[in-house]
Amino acid sequence: MAIQSDLIFDIGAHLGEDTAYYLRRGYRVVAVEAEPRHVAQLRRRFAADIAAGRVVLVDQAIAEHEVMIRFFRNLNVSVWGTVNPAWAERNVGFGSKIEEITVPAITPARLFEHFGIPYYLKIDVEGLDMLVLRGLHNFEDRPSYVSIESDATSFALLKQEFDLLQELGYDDFKLSPQHRVQKMRVPAGSPHGLQCDYRFEEHSSGPFGEDVEGQWLNVREAIAEYKYVFALYDMFHAIEKGILSGSITAFRDAYGHDAGGWNDTHARHRSARPKP
């Protein structure tokens, strides 16, 4: 099953922040979103694109089996909706109120079988990013670029993410701090689709592939960067909980306003490397 060079999967589409960007660059989009209230807004926002076939909206959750499944709607932070009970419990610990509903589910393999292999695979499904990646095992061809939200709670789980990415043929990596996305811009000469001047929306994933800031790193270099990110993350939350003395303001003044936040891991498949 060959890569479809004009196709992007937006898995965890939320309110279409990323889908809108991919459309602007000229790509077709398969947008996957489980939260019914978000699905209704997506249908309204992209009505013309859906009618024209530029957007296919899959209103199902990602899961291991195609059944009706519990979805934990987050009433405080809309992007934190999840089917993962452990993540829902974590969010309650962060002060969120949760409402449990039931939604239909689809497996990652079924998505790839039905819609094909995309050029870029954006994954942000709150605790199930690895499940989506494992769905690629059934296919010889892999997306040229993928991104996942890195696990910020366990370095062992982070290492498993890199192990799986390498197993699938992804050897080049970039880290993209999520809270800086709105300050990012599409670089001149981008190789990805139509050229444009674009301002990224709140909650979007931002640029992808070659457009992500910085040089590509090998796995050793990427993990070394994450060690620093984890150190800042642990320090931030120790101050937040009163374990360490100091203030969040002073911490951000010293390390940057976004220090301690989540990062996306962007990966490039070895088949997409420029030819020497």
Side-chain angles (χ1 to χ4, degrees), residues 51-228:
R54 291 186 293 267
V55 171
V56 175
L57 182 56
V58 179
D59 55 347
Q60 295 172 273
I62 296 295
E64 293 187 49
H65 305 286
E66 295 183 350
V67 296
M68 298 299 293
I69 192 170
R70 292 187 301 166
F71 182 87
F72 302 96
R73 171 185 285 161
N74 194 301
L75 301 181
N76 300 94
V77 186
S78 63
V79 293
W80 284 0
T82 181
V83 299
N84 188 321
W87 278 57
E89 185 177 346
R90 179 208 69 170
N91 294 341
V92 169
F94 287 159
S96 292
K97 292 183 179 179
I98 301 297
E99 179 181 66
E100 186 177 322
I101 61 175
T102 303
V103 299
I106 189 170
T107 65
R110 180 77 68 183
L111 278 174
F112 299 128
E113 288 168 0
H114 191 72
F115 298 107
I117 302 297
Y119 175 64
Y120 168 49
L121 173 62
K122 170 237 158 171
I123 313 170
D124 188 356
V125 282
E126 299 301 307
L128 291 178
D129 290 21
M130 295 277 278
L131 177 64
V132 179
L133 285 178
R134 285 194 290 270
L136 290 170
H137 273 133
N138 298 333
F139 305 91
E140 183 177 349
D141 291 305
R142 311 276 162 71
S144 297
Y145 302 92
V146 304
S147 69
I148 62 173
E149 185 179 63
S150 67
D151 192 292
T153 60
S154 165
F155 202 80
L157 291 177
L158 180 81
K159 180 63 166 55
Q160 289 179 21
E161 292 173 358
F162 280 101
D163 288 344
L164 178 55
L165 284 164
Q166 286 195 294
E167 184 180 324
L168 291 168
Y170 296 93
D171 296 322
D172 302 322
F173 307 98
K174 292 182 181 182
L175 281 60
S176 181
Q178 290 182 345
H179 300 295
R180 295 181 189 168
V181 164
Q182 288 184 278
K183 301 175 183 177
M184 296 177 183
R185 296 293 177 265
V186 180
S190 164
H192 304 307
L194 303 175
Q195 299 300 303
C196 69
D197 182 20
Y198 195 86
R199 292 189 176 275
F200 293 99
E201 300 176 38
E202 184 181 9
H203 301 309
S204 67
S205 298
F208 68 90
E210 306 299 329
D211 293 348
V212 179
E213 296 173 354
Q215 300 296 313
W216 289 105
L217 308 173
N218 61 35
V219 66
R220 178 183 55 79
E221 293 167 332
I223 289 175
E225 281 211 14
Y226 265 121
K227 286 181 179 178
Y228 178 70

Side-chain angles (χ1 to χ4, degrees), residues 237-255:
H237 286 284
I239 294 171
E240 194 176 45
K241 295 175 182 178
I243 298 171
L244 288 178
S245 61
S247 70
I248 295 299
T249 299
F251 173 83
R252 285 174 168 162
D253 286 344
Y255 297 102

